[in-house]
Amino acid sequence: MEKKKIYIFDTTLRDGEQVPGCKLNTKEKVKIAKQLEYLGVDVIEAGFPTSSPGDYQSVQEICKSISNPIICALSRAVEKDIKIAGSALKYAKRSRIHTGIGTSDCHILYKFNSTPEKIIERAIQAVKYAKKFVEDVEFYAEDAGRTKNDFLAKVCEAVIKYGATVINIPDTTGYCLPEEYGKKIRYIKENVKGIHNITLSTHCHNDLGLATANSLSGIINGAQQVECTINGIGERAGNTSLEEIVMIIKQNSRLNFFTNIKTKLIFSTSHLVSECTGMKVQSNKAIVGINAFSHSSGIHQDGVIKKRETYESINPEDVGINNHTSIVLTARSGRAALSYRYKKLGFFLNKNSLELVYSIFLKYADKKKDISDKELRILLEKANLNNNRLQHMRRINLKHV
Ligand code: KIV
Ligand code: ZN
C-alpha cells in the first residue's frame, strides 16, 4: 500500500512564541523560519499579525525570505484581524489565512456570550471574508476537544461550503484522551459533507502530556496534517512536539505514513530554537534532550558498548547527533563503561589496571553526580600508574584501539 503523506504545520513562531518570556524579534523569527524551510516543514505559521506591529513586520519579512513552505498567519473571526493578516501575507509565494472561533459550550457561553447559531454565522463570515485575500483558508474550531461532535461537524460543514481548504480540530486545553480525540477526527471524517476535498488537521496541547499521543491518534483516524512546534514549546504545557511526531512516523513504518522532514536537521533546529527563545530543553526530553542518548547504568552501558541497538531504538545520527551515544560515568557505571571512556581518552587499561582504577573510581563516583574526562585523568594519577606505564598504555591504544 502506498504511504500517506502527513503535512507538518509548524507553529513554533506563533503558538510556540506565546510562551511567557520567549518573545522573538523579527531577525530571530526570520532565522528560525529559514531553518524550518531547510528542515522541510510544509507550512510555517509565522505569527498573529494583528497582535502587534512587530509581529506584522515579522510575518511580512518571513514572506519575503521563504520560498517553499506555505506561510500562514493567524486571525480571530474578526474582519480587522483577517484584513491585517491578508496584508501581512502580501509577499508570500504561497499564503494561508488561519481564522476561527471557539465552538465549545464553554467558549460560546462565557467567552462570546452567544448562541451556537450565531457562532456558525460568524465562522462562515470569517471564511468568506478571508477568501477575499487568499485562496487557502484554514478554519480552526477553538476548543474542539470539548465541543460536542455533532455541533463540531455542523460548523465544519458550513465553513467547507464557503471555501475553507483546511479544517483544524484543536484540543486547545489538552483535554482529550487519545482514543477520544481519534474518534472525534473519525466522526468528522465520516459525517461532514465535503470533508474529502479538504485537509483535516490536528492541533493538540500538552496539558496532560498527551499532545503527541493525541496527534498520532488523529492521523491514524484520518487527519492529514499535524500542527506542532520545535521542542514542543507553546502555551502552558506546550504543543505537540515536531521531533516526536516526525520520529514516531519515521520509526514505525507499519503506520504507512511519511513526512518531508529532513530528520538529520532536527537536533540543530532544536538547538537554534532553544537559543533564540531562551527556553532550555529539559534533559530527558524525547529525541532532543541531552540525556536522550546517554547511558549511565552499568547494565545499559555494557549493552550499548557491545551493540548500540540493545538500549537505543532510535539512531542518534538520524536526528543529527553524530558520534554522541554518550556513556556517562556515575556510581552506577560498570567496568565496561570505564574502560570505554579511557579508550576514548587514549588509554588502554589491562585487566589489573582496570580493576585498580575501578575501585578508586567507585569511591569517587559515590560522592559525585558524574565524572568528567579531567577527573578520569586525576584518577589514573591516584591509582599511581606511573608515567612510563601510561605511555605504554597510550602506545597500545594507538596500535589497537
Ligand atoms: O490551541 C488553539 O486552539 C489554537 C488556535 C488558535 C488554533 O492555538
Ligand atoms: Zn494552540
Side-chain angles (χ1 to χ4, degrees):
M1 202 170 65
E2 208 180 315
K3 285 194 176 201
K4 176 177 157 186
K5 172 161 177 181
I6 299 299
Y7 291 84
I8 298 297
F9 174 118
D10 182 278
T11 182
T12 305
L13 299 177
R14 199 278 298 169
D15 221 338
E17 203 230 10
Q18 286 176 214
V19 174
C22 83
K23 172 95 193 61
L24 297 165
N25 61 34
T26 297
K27 209 168 143 208
E28 290 163 333
K29 277 197 155 194
V30 170
K31 196 169 170 189
I32 293 175
K34 284 186 174 162
Q35 179 68 19
L36 292 172
E37 181 171 36
Y38 298 140
L39 184 66
V41 307
D42 299 287
V43 185
I44 295 175
E45 187 163 47
F48 181 19
T50 202
S51 66
S52 74
D55 215 37
Y56 179 94
Q57 194 200 351
S58 297
V59 173
Q60 201 170 51
E61 291 306 315
I62 289 171
C63 290
K64 290 179 190 163
S65 321
I66 298 297
S67 305
N68 290 320
I70 293 168
I71 307 300
C72 180
L74 185 80
S75 78
R76 292 168 297 182
V78 171
E79 282 204 355
K80 177 183 128 266
D81 281 26
I82 296 170
K83 190 173 178 187
I84 292 176
S87 158
L89 289 169
K90 195 167 63 190
Y91 299 106
K93 322 273 174 307
R94 301 160 75 203
S95 55
R96 175 183 296 175
I97 291 179
H98 190 191
T99 189
I101 193 160
T103 52
S104 63
D105 287 349
C106 177
H107 278 224
I108 296 174
L109 207 60
Y110 299 109
K111 187 169 156 185
F112 299 111
N113 188 21
S114 186
T115 62
E117 294 70 30
K118 286 185 186 153
I119 291 294
I120 295 194
E121 196 41 44
R122 274 190 68 179
I124 291 172
Q125 291 313 323
V127 170
K128 271 171 80 177
Y129 190 61
K131 291 293 270 192
K132 291 185 194 290
F133 301 94
V134 292
E135 176 45 39
D136 191 3
V137 174
E138 174 166 342
F139 177 81
Y140 64 86
E142 195 180 13
D143 204 16
R146 292 188 297 182
T147 301
K148 289 189 200 82
N149 288 350
D150 54 350
F151 181 62
L152 187 59
K154 254 190 186 168
V155 179
C156 295
E157 195 162 305
V159 294
I160 291 173
K161 195 166 156 204
Y162 286 91
T165 48
V166 183
I167 299 284
N168 177 14
I169 307 294
D171 184 21
T172 305
T173 60
Y175 164 86
C176 288
L177 296 174
E179 197 190 347
E180 197 178 2
Y181 187 75
K183 275 192 184 153
K184 194 174 280 289
I185 294 289
R186 177 124 331 258
Y187 184 90
I188 302 293
K189 262 314 234 205
E190 288 173 355
N191 291 282
V192 172
K193 218 161 110 193
I195 199 76
H196 299 292
N197 303 323
I198 61 107
T199 302
L200 190 55
S201 182
T202 67
H203 179 113
C204 298
H205 280 268
N206 207 29
D207 299 67
L208 287 169
L210 290 172
T212 301
N214 284 347
S215 302
L216 178 62
S217 180
I219 56 177
I220 289 172
N221 282 284
Q224 304 104 313
Q225 175 178 281
V226 174
E227 305 194 3
C228 48
T229 61
I230 301 294
N231 300 334
I233 63 171
E235 286 271 0
R236 305 180 310 282
N239 289 59
T240 299
S241 119
L242 180 147
E243 59 277 10
E244 291 173 15
I245 196 76
V246 165
M247 290 309 291
I248 288 169
I249 290 172
K250 183 175 166 65
Q251 294 290 114
N252 292 280
S253 54
R254 62 190 181 276
L255 287 173
N256 230 20
F257 296 139
F258 74 98
T259 72
N260 273 358
I261 297 298
K262 296 183 194 82
T263 61
K264 285 185 193 297
L265 295 180
I266 282 179
F267 192 67
S268 52
T269 309
S270 159
H271 196 75
L272 175 70
V273 168
S274 170
E275 199 177 84
C276 291
T277 58
M279 291 266 300
K280 287 210 170 76
V281 176
Q282 75 192 55
S283 305
N284 61 328
K285 169 78 183 65
I287 321 289
V288 290
I290 51 161
N291 288 349
F293 300 100
S294 295
H295 306 274
S296 85
S297 90
I299 297 169
H300 289 209
Q301 290 175 329
D302 182 53
V304 165
I305 290 166
K306 285 175 178 147
K307 188 148 178 76
R308 187 191 58 74
E309 285 85 346
T310 52
Y311 287 97
E312 280 179 3
S313 66
I314 303 167
N315 186 344
E317 290 182 8
D318 283 350
V319 296
I321 303 174
N322 298 320
N323 297 323
H324 200 75
T325 292
S326 125
I327 299 294
V328 180
L329 290 178
T330 71
R332 305 289 154 264
S333 302
R335 291 166 185 77
L338 188 65
S339 158
Y340 174 86
R341 282 280 299 272
Y342 272 120
K343 271 187 198 169
K344 291 233 149 203
L345 287 178
F347 297 109
F348 176 84
L349 303 187
N350 66 24
K351 202 163 176 281
N352 290 342
S353 304
L354 180 62
E355 215 41 62
L356 177 63
V357 180
Y358 185 65
S359 64
I360 299 171
F361 160 81
L362 274 187
K363 282 189 204 128
Y364 195 66
D366 255 339
K367 297 187 207 110
K368 293 265 314 180
K369 281 199 196 311
D370 63 61
I371 308 293
S372 67
D373 287 348
K374 190 172 162 203
E375 288 163 323
L376 284 181
R377 289 176 203 279
I378 294 170
L379 291 186
L380 278 188
E381 300 290 329
K382 280 191 196 278
N384 222 358
L385 294 167
N386 66 35
N387 270 346
N388 285 344
R389 217 159 140 209
L390 286 181
Q391 289 304 326
H392 179 58
M393 284 191 268
R394 273 187 189 284
R395 272 203 304 281
I396 293 172
N397 172 49
L398 286 176
K399 271 192 223 147
H400 299 292
V401 178

